[in-house]
Amino acid sequence: MAVMTYIDAINSALREEMARDPSVFLIGEDIGKMGGAFRATKGLLEEFGEERVIDSPLAEGVIVSSSIGAAMAGMRPVPEIQFVDFITPAMDAITQQAAKLRYRSAGTQTCPLTVRVCYGGSVGGGLYHSQSNTSWFIHCPGLVVVAPSRPYDAKGLLKAAIRDDNPVMFFEHKKLYRSMKEEVPETDYTVPLMKAAIAREGKDITAISYGYTLQLTLQAAEQMRQKHGVEVEVIDLRTLAPLDTDTFLESVAKTSRAVVIHEDNRTLGIGAEVAATIAEQAFDCLDAPILRVTSPDVPLLPAAAELEKFCTVSADKIVAALERSLAY
Amino acid sequence: MATTFEPAVLTRDTEMELLPAEPDGALYRRLYSYMLKCRMVEERIRVLYRQGRFAGNYFAAVGQEATEVGVTLDLLAEDTIAPSHRNFVTHIMKGTPLPLMFAQIYGRKTSPDQGRSAPAHCGYAPLNVITPSSTIAAQLNIGTGIALAYKMQRRRNVVVALSGEGSTSLGFWHEAVNFAGVRRLPILFVVENNGYAESVPVALQTAVSDISVKAAAYGIPGISVDGNDVVAVYAAAREAIDRARNGEGATLLECKTYRWYGHSEIDPAKYRDPAEVEFWKSRDPIPAMERRMESVDLWTSQWKKELEAEFNREIDEAIAFADNSPQPEGDEALDQVYSFSIRERELERKTWEPRFAGRLAK
Ligand SMILES: Cc1ncc(C[n+]2csc(CCOP(=O)(O)OP(=O)(O)O)c2C)c(N)n1
Ligand SMILES: [Mg+2]
């Protein structure tokens, strides 16, 4: 065990997977000498050489599409998209090529690649360094979309993603990179994809989130205990697509109340899918309307501190929603 | 495709001699007979379409056979073809069985894609033909990635990536060629300049008259050839492929040719001057090769008749196979979205009952 930040955990997963499997290679902007915009690939060029840590041209389209081809030819590419805000040039590669290759070839051609994407706000990044955009990919069958909330999961899920035979979109929240530390094994382990986790057990109300807002949800749960003696069950979705619905449905059947929290825009965010699933499959379990705590439907995130604060999810906003649900 | 770092077993000798100055009889016969076969297959597909024997559409490369054949003949099984919608017949040179090609056109269960993709948008994994999407130019970038893998795996294999002149206007095209230049990848980019992208003439696509000049911007050789001269196309492609195989990087090859029919079977191509079409039909690559071969006693009309009889028999058999192949079952639409099944998720959505005793008492 070692105490690691989220970024350490990512780095450690990449190093271990590259050492384990010679077909794993990295490609992206500034990932070589510089070790990545956030230093996720620090030291890997020195350890594995230029052929396996490729500083690409400034072209997201070819970063992902060349990874698709390489994966078809037996490699395990891990392309990096510096900011999800700049993923749009790679949208065709991801949504039309990678996501559908297995389907349109009836399983005869596949591209196991893991696209690492840095996302999220609350760092004063402004409109083009703060977006989440997970919904774009959740809406695209054929992709596995993963968004870990803590260092332990970041390492275990990244290793699982690299070994998985499907194209995986791996969302890393920039605010998590250095804001928390925890014990992470230095030995080999994986965390299963497509499996949510109960991040905190409780019996009174279910709060469902992922990524950075999962940490805020845990803070809100603690406040609820101290303020009201309420036990909030916190579900960490971990994989956003395909969604593990059983874990949160099981929880709602126990608590009868649900609040969904995410940083993406409200409309058609994962909260909409979670709420619809609960309404369809657990309607009789509910004692209160399902509530959502999300960013508003505006471009995310305006730069000025007050504007940003207004838009982003906070522990206080989550507490308010939990209280509203309980008061219903 | 296997994960392996061993050198691939090459099915044919990779030492490609430069074309001899004297006509190479065996080569000329192969170039000619493949062109004839491509023509016959596509003309038959067009008839089947008009007869309503299959749904969707088709994108014939009739008139462009010299290019289709010249750039893909003599590839190794382990080499990759990255085709566009226009290059269905390149399967023939790669060796994809004709019955599977017709099953694909017919959308049958026996097709390599089991009825998923539109006609002609078909790959063949055993011989490394990439399944093309419809997004113009996307196959080039994927092909570039395969070339990257070949290089990393120390394999002496190459990628031939085909696209039309219209594709050269897209950002993807430039990203692919640039990347291949930067990393000296074993890939041949073939731009089939057939004058039109659907209805849009090449003059509205680019301000240059030779698309091959674009290669200079990416530090790779660029060549333009008469795309209706199969020997010229083959020679240029051969040289580029040999260079790629020997680790000398990518080449851009523009083949100037012409699409005889509309963009697809539903396009009457009214936007073209009939005189222009007639001019290009007079430059039909097949009779041109016949004349060339006849002058050195390599071609007779009797031989052509024999070839036609043989190809017709093959095509008839392939169509019979497609006709007798089952349609996929409707619920097979749920398969191969992921490496795991989603059937249960889609078909068996269960309902949850309240389990909180305290709540029921409330
Ligand atoms: C990105 C994209 N835009 C538009 C289309 C619609 N479309 C299909 S083929 C085509 C023309 C392609 O022209 P060209 O690249 O010259 O190839 P050709 O059909 O002449 O072989 C267009 C516009 C598409 N499939 N993909
Ligand atoms: Mg064209």
Side-chain angles (χ1 to χ4, degrees), chain B residues 64 85-86 163-167 191-198 200 202 205 259 263:
Chain B
Q64 307 178 196
H85 59 287
R86 187 72 60 203
S163 67
E165 84 293 341
S167 80
V191 174
E192 241 180 318
N193 181 354
N194 60 7
Y196 291 85
E198 294 205 25
V200 179
V202 62
Q205 213 65 249
R259 190 188 80 201
H263 168 66

Side-chain angles (χ1 to χ4, degrees), chain B residues 90-102:
Chain B
T90 59
H91 275 282
I92 297 174
M93 278 64 77
K94 202 80 202 320
T96 306
L98 209 52
L100 301 189
M101 291 175 64
F102 277 90

Side-chain angles (χ1 to χ4, degrees), chain B residues 6-222:
Chain B
E6 278 126 67
V9 182
L10 302 180
T11 46
R12 261 183 246 124
D13 188 3
T14 48
E15 299 304 313
M16 301 294 171
E17 334 79 318
L18 282 175
L19 283 185
E22 291 296 302
D24 174 342
L27 172 64
Y28 277 28
R29 283 194 197 90
R30 275 188 308 129
L31 289 170
Y32 174 77
S33 48
Y34 272 110
M35 285 201 294
L36 188 64
K37 189 167 182 179
C38 290
R39 172 76 53 93
M40 290 174 68
V41 165
E42 288 205 308
E43 289 291 14
R44 186 71 81 86
I45 289 172
R46 298 183 67 240
V47 169
L48 295 171
Y49 184 78
R50 288 196 296 279
Q51 291 174 338
R53 304 273 292 276
F54 70 90
N57 206 344
Y58 189 74
F59 312 86
V62 171
Q64 307 178 196
E65 292 87 353
T67 297
E68 307 294 333
V69 174
V71 300
T72 56
L73 194 68
D74 290 340
L75 288 177
L76 309 177
E78 297 80 6
D79 294 337
T80 290
I81 294 182
S84 79
H85 59 287
R86 187 72 60 203
N87 312 119
F88 189 56
V89 290
T90 59
H91 275 282
I92 297 174
M93 278 64 77
K94 202 80 202 320
T96 306
L98 209 52
L100 301 189
M101 291 175 64
F102 277 90
Q104 200 279 329
I105 292 285
Y106 276 36
R108 298 303 164 104
K109 172 86 174 141
T110 49
S111 158
D113 66 7
Q114 299 180 19
R116 272 97 190 287
S117 291
H121 294 73
C122 180
Y124 189 56
L127 290 171
N128 293 352
V129 182
I130 294 178
T131 304
S133 70
S134 288
T135 310
I136 295 298
Q139 73 279 3
L140 306 180
N141 300 60
I142 295 175
T144 303
I146 292 183
L148 177 69
Y150 285 167
K151 187 165 180 177
M152 295 173 88
Q153 295 163 348
R154 311 276 184 271
R155 289 165 63 170
R156 290 193 72 215
N157 288 110
V158 299
V159 178
V160 174
L162 298 106
S163 67
E165 84 293 341
S167 80
T168 65
S169 304
L170 271 158
F172 298 142
W173 189 91
H174 297 266
E175 288 191 28
V177 180
N178 179 56
F179 188 64
V182 170
R183 303 208 72 89
R184 281 178 85 84
L185 299 180
I187 184 165
L188 169 60
F189 295 104
V190 179
V191 174
E192 241 180 318
N193 181 354
N194 60 7
Y196 291 85
E198 294 205 25
S199 69
V200 179
V202 62
L204 298 183
Q205 213 65 249
T206 175
V208 302
S209 47
D210 288 332
I211 283 171
S212 56
V213 303
K214 293 175 193 254
Y218 304 115
I220 64 170

